[in-house]
């Protein structure tokens, strides 16, 4: 395989980012870009040099030259497109979550498996320079056996009521990244989830049946305990930190900053806030995850984040959702058995 | 009142520390030191200049000159001594926990109340320079309304099996300090506790019916959520950190170090480990808590950490104990109602 | 002006970096690339899509469509090319230093002035995110009037004897960046230089009439004092720090790191070394300086680092060179008067 | 020797500190306290329990029980008292500097040598926890051979005009501590000094023939280069940092802080200023230096900072003074030869 020929489905914020990264990679040709509103995007599309701009993603599935597709459309379209793409034998990169409905996710993954194609899920944080370093430390045994994994994940700002309503709720929209990170760093599966959630920031979350603040406890199969703290609004900016504590020590990563300046005056010691939000913080990670996907296709190697990773995070999200409703710890087994 | 006249009960490790601090305070006279094994302590006692060394703490209670006593004996003697001291109208400083038995604690506190004397409980961490700064920040509204309080509390080493057996278990022996800190920093009472605990370090804990690793989630009356992570053995030393996150930002304290040196070589950037254990880390706090107690007596002001603070921490410890056994969230109300 | 049409002269390490950045900028067309050894660079050049690859830089000067040239060839060719480009009315970006010979530099700058074209000198560190933040702090008066500026600038490794021989010596090859930084941050001209230099790392520097370790003191016209410490070999990597201390406080920047991970074990607290060398550390700055140059041409605005900046740094380098030889403080006036 | 019997001469700020430390040491008896104004100090002296309070320091020299004296009086009385104490065979702790007059210093040290008594000079910074750690790192070879030593030493505030006039000027009053630190950390003698000084803070310094801002370059016998930056007024507090850079790496110490709290808000990341001034910062070091002196007497071991250390720092101060006046580098040899 000389060049990987790609079609992108969905040209919203994240679709645009992936497209621009793909266009700058010499080993890639972006042949199709599909979006229902593609006609209204001429400002952005006119100089991209993508041969086929279309409203219908099935055009690219019908093209035998296409090797892989990126699914960046709304979550409720994911499994339908995954199924169609798998049936057309295209490799798939799909944004997270695969779906809000476990039955749909399981069915889509089955089709993927039957056609022997690759599916990578968009947990780009695994490619972040900081979290990657934690992962390596744990893997190399630097901190021994993991006992406690702590994840802080706080957004600087929340979206509109319209978005919140359709977001799937904090577990699916926000914490799902942290579930994946917890699995990634401990290299173990979650057995039980307990969520202590609250609406402390804005009543709009209560109105949408959602929460804005949460502490989630996880029990892993290998005995480790995980804890995630989330907030929809950190006044000082995006807060993304991780610590893994184990039998031989701990490894921790702090936030990223735009500069290292400290200003010392009569008022105290000051430094600028961390990088503002996920586009700034995970700028490199977004690029690296797509490069990794392309490289997996070129090398015919397994992708770094696969369909099962997507599935496991969704199982945890469902358990978290139930834990919030029932105010009790919920096992993954309980969720799984309902779909067996 | 010119000088405060004090008797110390119990001359173990912590009793010795308090005694030496008291002896260096010009506004204090240490008139009695009581310990069952006082005869075997001549190396230490001979140059102290304490007038009365005795095996029987009741000697000091009978002395009308004595203003206050420090109770540093075993936990199972605390409530008996508190009751006797209160009846003798002595102010009391008592090490934590007041007792392992809520009924005893409640009864002792009632006697204290009836005699209108002061009782301070030995939560010395409230006097630590770092935690005190966090407390002030929260109180001054620097971080707005608290939403999440996070406490990391890990020991560098654990004690012998003999000690573990009689320690009361992690909630009473170790986490009780963190329960108090959580209440102190949020200025709110705990409503519900959930503990995810495990034996990951040494089977000796399982043999003693105890755990060595835990993540505890707390729900507060004011809506805030707390999380405490504990380990009996951090390879890098004593780990005592806190963060309070609120509507306007967060305040966090890191560990204390013996020096600020960083060594940069071809192998990387290195710094020394944090201060080794509680005697080093809380060296100043131990002194400050006793000074605060003495000052409260001199000024006839309320002590900074009172009997109710001791009681509340014990209520949480009982709920935590039950949460561990029953693997479910337990409310403080549930515990309280059994003792109503 | 719609697009800026550029020719690049010299395709060594730095010429390649600039060329690749230019090729990714939509507002630029790279029309020429000139290098004496262009024929041997087919691996790199074949996919670039540059219309004219040539051994003779005068080809691009003869092309009336060319707006600007980048001079990335050897230092001893700079002034000849600057003169020719200015006479052809091309804007110029020239790598530092302009030359080792003040008379040549002065003559070239005169030609630039006569033709009214722009000349930017390659002090890319001015575009570094950290130093830029220091500059802004000083400019905004955050630290009041600058009193002391401190620059640490240490390389992780030194070059071959062949390179050292023709490098012009530490003042011209290495410290010249720091002279510029000192002027940039204080916004003042240097009056006097004193260099304490030594050969402590490798005798090869003594054999080449050069030094490997130096502390340079600067006196500025506004009264501020500067100090630069240089080493050819820091075992832990590239060390690039700055502090400006003034009447209201100080601002300092630390090194950049690839990640924020700290690893705590029984051996101590460890973090990875800083970014390895200038290509990693100034990766973004190299891009930003060229973008700034292009933007200045498009906007017909003055460049951010001009010919006089190049000249002043060279004057300081000459004074430093003499200070080393004569072991005495040397004024800039003394150097200037010899060329008046 | 069972207890060391001590007399203290001079009960100003520093004399009081030393006295209180001595009084708390079980191995010491403070038998005399001499001060010309002792009659006016009854508030402080009444509860100390020192047997002899006197206006005449010769009382203690005449007492054969006295083992050692602390000289904490004005600098211009030091050499007279040293001489008298040495002749009375008392060990001596003397505050820095020994004197402003090299001839006097040399003569006093000769008398000390002739009587074979110990003389420790009050460079308490050698006992600071941070600088001590740097010293150990260098000594253990962790950073290889020292190439560059950098000292930042800035005061938060300056004294009255009356004090400045009699202070001996910045080299003798302030930088002398840094000269000693530079010698201590490099374990080498200074060969040459160059000072770039200025009056940038307050014209009062010019009026007193003094400076308020300085950068001092040192050349050491072992080839290393030192640089010290001083300011009389750092808006953010006392600034005491050191870095030693060598063939294998570097070791650096930052300031001490009262707490480790960082406060993150919409305005940025904030932490409190460093410890305010030398009494806070060197609180422990003042105690440790006296303990070290007492221990040296008890063990009949050489003191850690001796008369030659005092002398060498004064030689450097004289060279620095001349460098400022003559605006040229001055060698220590030049100063020495004038007193040979």
């Amino acid at each position: 395989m000389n060049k990987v020929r790609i079609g992108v489905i969905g040209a919203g914020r994240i679709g645009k980012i992936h497209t621009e990264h793909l266009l700058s990679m010499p080993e890639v040709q972006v042949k199709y870009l599909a979006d229902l509103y593609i006609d209204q995007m001429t400002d952005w599309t006119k100089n991209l040099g993508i041969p086929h701009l279309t409203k219908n993603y099935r055009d690219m599935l019908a093209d035998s030259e296409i090797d892989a597709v990126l699914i960046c459309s709304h979550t409720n379209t994911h499994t339908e497109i995954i199924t169609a793409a798998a049936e057309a034998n295209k490799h798939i990169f799909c944004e997270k979550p695969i779906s809000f409905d476990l039955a749909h996710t399981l069915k889509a993954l089955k089709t993927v498996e039957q056609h022997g194609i690759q599916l990578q899920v968009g947990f780009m944080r695994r490619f972040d320079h900081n979290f990657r370093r934690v992962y390596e430390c744990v893997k190399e045994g630097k901190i021994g056996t993991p006992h406690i994994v702590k994840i802080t994940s706080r957004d600087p700002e929340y979206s509109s009521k319209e978005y919140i309503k359709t977001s799937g709720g904090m577990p699916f929209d926000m914490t799902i990244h942290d579930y994946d990170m917890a699995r990634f760093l401990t290299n173990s599966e979650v057995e039980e989830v307990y969520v202590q959630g609250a609406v402390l920031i804005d009543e709009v979350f209560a109105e949408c049946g959602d929460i804005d603040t949460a502490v989630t406890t996880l029990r892993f199969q290998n005995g480790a305990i995980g804890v995630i703290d989330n907030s929809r609004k950190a006044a000082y900016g995006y807060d993304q930190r991780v610590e893994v504590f184990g039998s031989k020590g701990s490894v921790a990563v702090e936030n990223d900053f735009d500069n290292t300046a400290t200003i010392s005056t009569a008022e105290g010691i000051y430094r600028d806030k961390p990088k503002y939000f996920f586009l700034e913080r995970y700028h490199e990670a977004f690029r690296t995850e797509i490069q990794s996907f392309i490289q997996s296709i070129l090398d015919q190697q397994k992708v770094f984040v696969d369909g099962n990773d997507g599935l496991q995070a969704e199982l945890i999200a469902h358990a978290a959702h139930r834990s919030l409703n029932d105010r009790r710890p919920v096992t993954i087994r309980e969720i799984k058995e309902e779909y067996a």
Side-chain angles (χ1 to χ4, degrees), chain A:
Chain A
M1 191 181 288
N2 217 349
K3 282 222 178 193
V4 179
R5 286 186 188 79
I6 296 277
V8 177
I9 302 163
R13 185 168 54 178
I14 197 66
K16 282 179 176 170
I17 289 170
H18 289 322
T19 301
E20 288 175 359
H21 285 147
L22 287 165
L23 287 167
S24 76
M25 295 177 190
E27 68 274 28
V28 171
Q29 191 208 353
V30 183
K31 196 168 172 187
Y32 290 85
L33 176 63
D35 193 286
L36 287 176
Y37 304 97
I38 197 76
D39 295 345
Q40 298 160 33
M41 297 180 177
T42 49
D43 276 0
W44 178 64
T45 56
K46 70 179 170 201
N47 286 318
L48 296 175
I50 298 175
H52 304 279
L53 304 176
T54 171
K55 290 186 185 177
N56 189 346
Y57 74 86
R58 293 187 184 268
D59 293 355
M60 65 182 78
L61 300 186
D63 183 340
S64 64
E65 270 195 357
I66 287 295
D67 300 303
V69 297
L70 268 69
I71 306 177
C72 309
S73 50
H74 287 175
T75 300
N76 55 20
T77 68
H78 286 181
T79 53
E80 178 199 302
I81 303 177
I82 288 172
T83 305
E87 287 169 348
N89 289 306
K90 310 304 187 196
H91 297 301
I92 300 164
F93 174 95
C94 181
E95 274 304 321
K96 60 91 219 170
I98 297 176
S99 81
F100 297 132
D101 183 324
L102 263 179
H104 291 183
T105 299
L106 286 163
K107 192 156 162 269
L109 292 182
K110 194 158 209 175
T111 311
V112 165
E113 199 188 343
Q114 284 163 346
H115 287 81
I117 53 127
Q118 299 260 25
L119 170 68
Q120 180 171 327
V121 178
F123 289 128
M124 81 291 182
R125 294 188 194 176
R126 290 195 181 204
F127 299 90
D128 175 73
H129 57 145
N130 286 341
F131 300 137
R132 199 61 174 261
R133 189 70 180 90
V134 175
Y135 170 77
E136 286 164 7
C137 278
V138 175
K139 203 176 167 187
E140 292 164 9
K142 292 258 171 72
I143 61 141
T145 309
H147 290 177
I148 299 172
V149 55
K150 291 175 67 176
I151 298 174
T152 291
S153 180
R154 302 171 189 156
D155 284 350
E157 197 48 85
Y158 49 94
S159 302
S160 63
K161 189 167 183 177
E162 283 60 44
Y163 179 83
I164 297 166
K165 273 183 194 164
T166 64
S167 73
M170 193 190 260
F172 283 94
D173 179 42
M174 188 172 170
T175 322
I176 198 162
H177 278 295
D178 307 311
Y179 305 143
D180 183 63
M181 186 53 61
R183 291 179 63 246
F184 177 54
L185 296 179
T186 55
N187 196 27
S188 181
E189 297 301 342
V190 169
E191 279 188 346
E192 187 202 276
V193 183
Y194 179 66
V195 186
Q196 187 60 259
V199 175
L200 300 173
I201 299 167
D202 194 328
E203 278 303 309
V204 70
F205 289 101
E207 291 160 16
C208 300
D210 201 355
I211 54 173
D212 55 31
T213 304
V215 169
T216 303
T217 310
L218 306 170
R219 194 178 69 235
F220 291 90
Q221 283 176 4
N222 65 5
I225 307 171
V227 59
I228 302 163
D229 72 276
N230 295 121
S231 171
R232 295 281 197 180
K233 186 167 173 54
Y236 51 84
Y238 202 37
D239 196 348
Q240 300 279 297
R241 290 172 285 154
V242 150
E243 181 187 3
V244 185
F245 170 82
S247 54
K248 291 186 183 167
S250 87
V251 53
V253 281
E254 295 299 312
N255 287 312
D256 276 352
F257 290 83
D258 278 331
N259 63 66
T260 64
T262 52
I263 305 167
S264 303
T265 70
E267 277 73 45
I269 314 298
Y270 169 93
R271 81 171 296 187
D272 292 341
K273 290 184 284 182
K275 283 177 185 285
Y276 178 63
F277 208 171
F278 72 97
L279 294 180
E280 293 79 17
R281 164 64 192 267
Y282 295 116
H283 180 75
E284 281 298 307
F286 277 118
R287 182 178 181 88
T288 314
E289 74 166 349
I290 293 298
Q291 268 178 327
S292 175
F293 174 65
I294 298 297
Q295 204 57 45
S296 299
I297 296 171
L298 283 168
D299 298 348
Q300 300 185 309
Q301 295 288 323
K302 206 172 161 333
V303 291
F304 193 68
V305 200
D306 66 11
N308 183 53
D309 292 318
L311 173 64
Q312 294 301 327
E314 281 173 42
L315 285 166
I316 301 170
H318 281 281
H321 191 74
R322 187 170 300 174
S323 175
L324 268 169
N325 281 344
D326 298 0
R327 307 188 73 152
R328 64 172 175 90
V330 175
T331 62
I332 301 303
R333 174 190 296 262
E334 175 181 330
I335 305 294
K336 262 186 185 161
E337 285 175 352
E338 296 173 15
Y339 290 87

